[in-house]
């Protein structure tokens, strides 16, 4: 994890884009497919941003382009590394790590405020501290840091104005919807890694002792929690779909496709009930391609008036620093 010593010669933008494209192809087939719908410049920038997010996640969780998490012996050191190298590229340095140098490019090209990557790193800090949510609000705050803020950065990559607060709020909603789906799907995997993102208040309400949620006698109650997560994800998905109307056509198509594909994860987990964690739920390629077609039809429609976001958690208005 050490940063390169001595002078570092940066790779060309073309080479970094190619490496980032390989990263998204390995790390997320769903996002890789949806990203193909962007125009070339937006697609390249989305890949570059994804590469940094994926690298940070892999470093923090001991993964290789996702997959099973591994217990890491040095979470604080890994977090320090992520922070220091990120700050270096935000300052204009070339560090020799393609994923971090990729962030440097998209940061400059899209004028991404530095507090946004820092907010994303805060999500990794929560995991490094073995943080657990006590309330639904805690859960949503975590979802914002690990995914919602990525939605905001992606919206900026797609050309959304940094002063268009409503559209950026809805971009954050999309990331939150994705993360709620992930949490519902990955309850068993997270438990194996010593993590739990189910709010303590929910566990108490359903009389599930913390740490015992996967025991057979609690499966029916766990399915109730998964249903609650799925319903929340659906609410944020509706808001995000409305926000997509502000995007250029091809970006709107890509976002609506990703929304449908990822929404199927939450819907699939809820439909499986008590058996949702017998195996990891995945969407088929046929289902993904089906969403590409449906999203095209949706993107071509005349945008409807935006529904109110009343009742939804709203991202913090970070102080720029």
């Amino acid at each position: 994890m050490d940063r390169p010593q001595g002078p570092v010669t940066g790779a060309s933008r073309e080479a970094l884009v190619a490496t980032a494209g390989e990263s998204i192809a390995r790390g997320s087939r769903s996002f890789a497919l949806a990203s193909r719908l962007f125009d070339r410049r937006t697609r390249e920038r989305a890949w570059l941003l994804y590469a940094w997010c994926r690298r940070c996640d892999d470093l923090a969780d001991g993964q290789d382009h996702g997959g099973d998490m591994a217990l890491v012996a040095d979470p604080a050191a890994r977090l320090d590394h992520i922070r220091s190298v990120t700050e270096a590229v935000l300052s204009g340095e070339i560090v020799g790590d393609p994923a971090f140098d990729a962030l440097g490019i998209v940061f400059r090209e899209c004028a991404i405020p530095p507090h946004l990557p820092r907010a994303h790193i805060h999500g990794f800090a929560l995991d490094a501290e073995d943080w657990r949510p006590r309330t639904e609000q805690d859960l949503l705050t975590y979802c914002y840091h690990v995914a919602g803020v990525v939605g905001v950065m992606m919206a900026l990559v797609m050309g959304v104005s940094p002063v268009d607060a409503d559209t950026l709020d809805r971009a954050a909603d999309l990331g939150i919807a994705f993360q709620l789906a992930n949490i519902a799907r990955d309850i068993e995997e997270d438990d194996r890694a010593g993590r739990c993102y189910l709010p303590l208040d929910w566990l108490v309400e359903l009389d599930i002792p913390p740490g015992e949620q996967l025991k057979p006698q609690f499966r029916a109650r766990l399915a109730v929690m998964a249903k609650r997560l799925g319903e929340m994800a659906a609410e944020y998905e509706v808001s995000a779909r409305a926000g997509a109307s502000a995007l250029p056509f091809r970006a709107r198509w890509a976002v609506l496709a990703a929304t449908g594909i990822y929404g199927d994860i939450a819907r699939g987990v809820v439909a499986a009930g008590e058996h949702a964690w017998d195996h990891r739920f995945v969407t088929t390629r046929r289902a993904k391609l089906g969403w590409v077609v449906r999203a095209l039809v949706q993107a071509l429609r005349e945008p409807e008036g935006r529904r109110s976001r009343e009742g939804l958690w709203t991202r913090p208005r970070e102080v720029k620093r």
Side-chain angles (χ1 to χ4, degrees):
M1 290 194 306
D2 293 338
R3 283 178 50 189
Q5 301 297 312
V8 176
T9 302
S12 68
R13 186 185 189 284
E14 182 180 10
L16 290 175
V17 167
T19 300
E22 293 170 2
S23 178
I24 196 170
R26 290 182 60 192
S28 176
R29 293 187 181 91
S30 296
F31 290 141
L33 175 61
S35 73
R36 292 287 178 183
L37 306 179
F38 287 127
D39 64 88
R40 182 181 64 83
R41 179 64 67 165
T42 304
R43 178 170 61 250
E44 290 177 354
R45 290 171 171 170
W47 287 358
L48 291 167
L49 180 57
Y50 173 90
W52 173 74
C53 296
R54 178 72 271 160
R55 176 75 167 135
C56 291
D57 206 9
D58 285 348
L59 284 170
D61 291 343
Q63 297 172 301
D64 179 13
H65 289 82
D68 290 341
M69 289 185 289
L71 293 174
V72 298
D74 55 346
R78 288 169 179 259
L79 180 62
D80 287 344
H81 175 75
I82 291 168
R83 278 183 172 144
S84 64
V85 184
T86 297
E87 289 299 327
V89 298
L90 295 182
S91 298
E93 293 184 34
I94 296 171
V95 298
D97 183 315
F100 284 91
D101 287 333
L103 174 66
I105 289 177
V106 75
F107 172 73
R108 292 188 295 274
E109 291 185 354
C110 300
I112 293 176
H115 69 265
L116 294 176
R118 291 169 183 158
H120 186 44
I121 291 173
H122 182 66
F124 301 119
L126 292 173
D127 282 331
E129 296 164 4
D130 195 27
W131 171 91
R132 308 287 173 94
R134 296 188 60 85
T135 66
E136 184 176 301
Q137 293 298 303
D138 291 343
L139 169 64
L140 291 168
T141 300
Y142 174 79
C143 288
Y144 170 72
H145 283 291
V146 298
V149 72
V150 178
V152 175
M153 290 189 284
M154 282 292 184
L156 296 174
V157 164
M158 296 175 211
V160 175
S161 169
V163 299
D164 186 351
D166 184 69
T167 298
L168 295 179
D169 285 343
R170 294 173 188 273
D173 290 343
L174 183 57
I176 289 170
F178 288 171
Q179 189 61 28
L180 289 169
N182 279 341
I183 289 170
R185 178 191 62 190
D186 296 339
I187 290 173
E188 190 274 336
E189 179 183 329
D190 289 335
D191 183 74
R192 281 189 279 113
R195 295 181 182 176
C196 179
Y197 299 109
L198 302 171
L200 180 60
D201 284 357
W202 291 10
L203 293 168
V204 171
E205 177 187 338
L206 291 175
D207 197 23
I208 302 176
E212 298 185 18
Q213 60 271 12
L214 282 164
K215 290 190 174 179
Q217 63 266 36
F218 298 124
R219 275 298 179 102
R221 300 178 205 179
L222 192 61
V224 171
M225 278 198 194
K227 185 173 184 291
R228 186 179 299 183
L229 288 168
E231 290 170 347
M232 289 173 62
E235 292 174 354
Y236 286 90
E237 179 182 328
V238 168
S239 172
R241 285 181 174 277
S245 64
L247 300 175
F249 169 71
R250 291 193 61 174
R252 183 164 69 251
W253 183 15
V255 167
L256 290 173
T259 301
I261 291 167
Y262 234 80
D264 275 355
I265 294 175
R267 290 184 282 272
V269 170
V270 172
E274 298 178 34
H275 300 287
W277 306 280
D278 292 349
H279 54 81
R280 194 172 195 264
F281 180 85
V282 295
T283 50
T284 65
R285 180 167 178 79
R286 181 176 180 179
K288 292 172 184 174
L289 291 174
W291 272 111
V292 169
V293 175
R294 275 180 278 179
L296 174 60
V297 175
Q298 293 167 354
L300 288 169
R301 289 177 185 158
E302 189 71 24
E304 299 178 2
R306 292 192 184 185
R307 298 184 186 181
S308 169
R309 293 188 66 259
E310 185 177 357
L312 298 183
W313 183 91
T314 299
R315 67 190 174 98
R317 300 296 190 258
E318 299 94 337
V319 176
K320 294 184 180 182
R321 59 187 190 276

